[in-house]
Amino acid sequence: MDVGLQMVCASYGWTNVSDKQVWEEEIKLARLAADSGFDVLWAVEHHFNDYSFCPDNLQLMTYLAAVCPNVDLGTAAVILPWNDPLRVAERAIVVDLLSNGRLRLGMGRGLARREFHAFRGTMDESRERFDEAAAMIVNALRTGYIEGDGKFYKQPRTELRPRPVKPIDGRVYAVASSDDSVVSAAKLNARMVMFADRPWPMRMGAINKHRALIKELHGGPELPPLLADFCVCTPTMDGAEDYARQYMGKFVESNFYHYELLGEHFSQVKGYDAYAQKIALAKEIGMDGIVSAFMQAAVWGTPDHILKMFEERRAIVGDFELATSFRFGGTPYDFAERGLKLYAKEVLPVLHSWKNGSVTAKAAE
């Protein structure tokens, strides 16, 4: 299994912490993960808010390309409606050149109304803007030329310099939480990115649809989804569930706040009606129930307990990749660092063994 670290750069849930400290600690964890055997460093794109403030993940990856020379670098994701496709393509090529082909380009269309407003855009256009820009960018990274004649991007055919250094095929990802996003990801032949925020059986409709479309449109092979995960790793089970509920609960709170998930606008905005499922579930079972559902999807506890949860997930989902966050929802840095080190020592080797089809020792007994 391919296992990465997800960099979030959030301060929601912490007190008396500066933005500088958040970034310094996030980079410290990333460098530790790179030295501990993780396969890739991922970073989000978010703006303006305690929920997450990583406004340019490709710029961050340029820095990490130098200080972490032995690990892949991924964006999860570049939000295309907030970026010019020509500039995304150019920046992606530079990161790939400086890292000698280690970039994994993840793209998304965005979800937070507050971020769209600040960029003077509307959520109604996000689906069309994503589809138009993503096709332009992927084609540019394949050919070295970018062009477009769509509704939003009238781009004259232009050669990009520096030219792409390695084929991008197999290294394209797209966030896919709604049905139309699943279709968009499949059209790009991109691996789908989804978040560990609800029980996995609820995700299987989208995962199976993506697999079928990849086979139909591109002849396969299946592309394992990238699951943006959350982890609380502890040496014993004493207090583990309480820690998980505290930190994951605070993250869920920040998620609902940032995205205004209890607002009525999702049912009225084109292309976002799929989020009605999550909103309806929240209204039915309340925030305590949502946190409990989140804890069923994410992983927590001792390494053995985490591996058991992964085995259960694998039995439902099949093969998948991971982008795991250890620092979220007010998690103290020292707690997150200890958890990452323990995970790297006892969980990561087992997950890596799954690449060869092997299983945990307990499952084999």
Side-chain angles (χ1 to χ4, degrees):
M1 180 185 294
D2 188 278
V3 184
L5 176 79
Q6 176 80 300
M7 304 174 70
V8 179
C9 300
S11 62
Y12 193 105
W14 288 268
T15 57
N16 300 319
V17 58
S18 68
D19 292 358
K20 183 174 184 290
Q21 180 182 342
V22 168
W23 267 68
E24 288 174 344
E25 292 178 351
E26 201 78 57
I27 290 171
K28 188 177 178 181
L29 279 179
R31 298 185 72 167
L32 176 62
D35 291 339
S36 300
F38 282 72
D39 301 291
V40 56
L41 304 176
W42 296 95
V44 302
E45 179 187 342
H46 280 296
H47 304 261
F48 318 124
N49 199 275
D50 289 351
Y51 174 73
S52 174
F53 40 92
C54 182
D56 191 335
N57 44 21
L58 283 167
Q59 184 177 16
L60 173 58
M61 290 305 150
T62 303
Y63 169 78
L64 293 173
V67 298
C68 300
N70 300 312
V71 67
D72 282 2
L73 310 162
T75 58
V78 177
I79 307 303
L80 299 188
W82 308 337
N83 290 274
D84 184 273
L86 170 61
R87 296 293 291 130
V88 172
E90 288 186 315
R91 284 151 50 208
I93 290 172
V94 169
V95 175
D96 213 35
L97 184 154
L98 294 176
S99 67
N100 194 28
R102 288 184 283 138
L103 175 66
R104 306 187 192 187
L105 181 63
M107 300 172 287
R109 63 170 171 144
L111 179 61
R113 179 168 59 174
R114 65 182 78 242
E115 290 175 288
F116 276 95
H117 177 74
F119 281 107
R120 305 173 303 280
T122 68
M123 295 173 70
D124 287 309
E125 297 178 348
S126 67
R127 170 82 283 135
E128 293 176 283
R129 283 188 178 273
F130 175 90
D131 290 343
E132 195 174 316
M136 291 170 61
I137 292 165
V138 171
N139 187 61
L141 297 180
R142 288 172 177 156
T143 66
Y145 290 84
I146 189 166
E147 59 185 322
D149 189 29
K151 177 179 177 181
F152 299 101
Y153 305 108
K154 305 291 186 182
Q155 174 63 55
R157 179 176 171 83
T158 304
E159 183 179 13
L160 301 180
R161 302 291 297 274
R163 299 182 177 97
V165 292
K166 288 189 177 180
I168 195 64
D169 298 286
R171 298 187 286 140
V172 179
Y173 295 72
V175 178
S177 292
S178 59
D179 285 346
D180 56 347
S181 292
V182 172
V183 175
S184 294
K187 287 180 178 178
L188 294 168
N189 202 20
R191 299 173 192 267
M192 63 190 299
V193 182
M194 55 175 42
F195 301 92
D197 64 355
R198 68 198 76 171
W200 293 106
M202 297 177 66
R203 291 292 201 181
M204 289 313 299
I207 291 172
N208 288 331
K209 182 175 183 176
H210 182 262
R211 287 171 178 157
L213 285 170
I214 289 293
K215 184 175 181 179
E216 175 187 337
L217 298 174
H218 306 285
E222 290 185 5
L223 302 174
L226 173 66
L227 307 182
D229 214 350
F230 301 84
C231 179
V232 172
C233 187
T234 56
T236 72
M237 289 300 290
D238 294 340
E241 185 171 358
D242 291 336
Y243 284 128
R245 186 168 294 276
Q246 175 184 347
Y247 300 132
M248 292 180 183
K250 183 59 70 172
F251 174 78
V252 169
E253 177 186 303
S254 74
N255 188 263
F256 271 70
Y257 160 72
H258 182 68
Y259 292 119
E260 303 174 274
L261 287 176
L262 294 180
E264 300 296 330
H265 61 289
F266 283 108
S267 61
Q268 303 165 9
V269 178
K270 181 181 178 182
Y272 288 90
D273 51 300
Y275 289 92
Q277 179 193 57
K278 185 174 181 178
I279 296 166
L281 182 64
K283 291 179 177 178
E284 178 182 346
I285 65 178
M287 287 303 296
D288 287 344
I290 285 291
V291 173
S292 294
F294 189 97
M295 290 174 64
Q296 292 177 42
V299 294
W300 53 271
T302 63
D304 282 347
H305 189 258
I306 288 170
L307 286 169
K308 181 181 178 182
M309 297 181 81
F310 278 137
E311 290 279 12
E312 293 170 351
R313 183 189 301 184
R314 193 184 189 203
I316 298 169
V317 175
D319 291 337
F320 54 87
E321 300 178 359
L322 287 170
T324 300
S325 176
F326 294 86
R327 190 178 182 280
F328 52 88
T331 310
Y333 175 81
D334 290 345
F335 184 95
E337 183 183 88
R338 289 194 300 270
L340 188 154
K341 288 180 176 178
L342 183 59
Y343 185 103
K345 180 181 179 181
E346 300 190 24
V347 178
L348 194 59
V350 177
L351 298 181
H352 279 161
S353 76
W354 286 4
K355 288 182 177 179
N356 298 319
S358 58
V359 297
T360 65
K362 283 188 175 182
E365 290 174 355

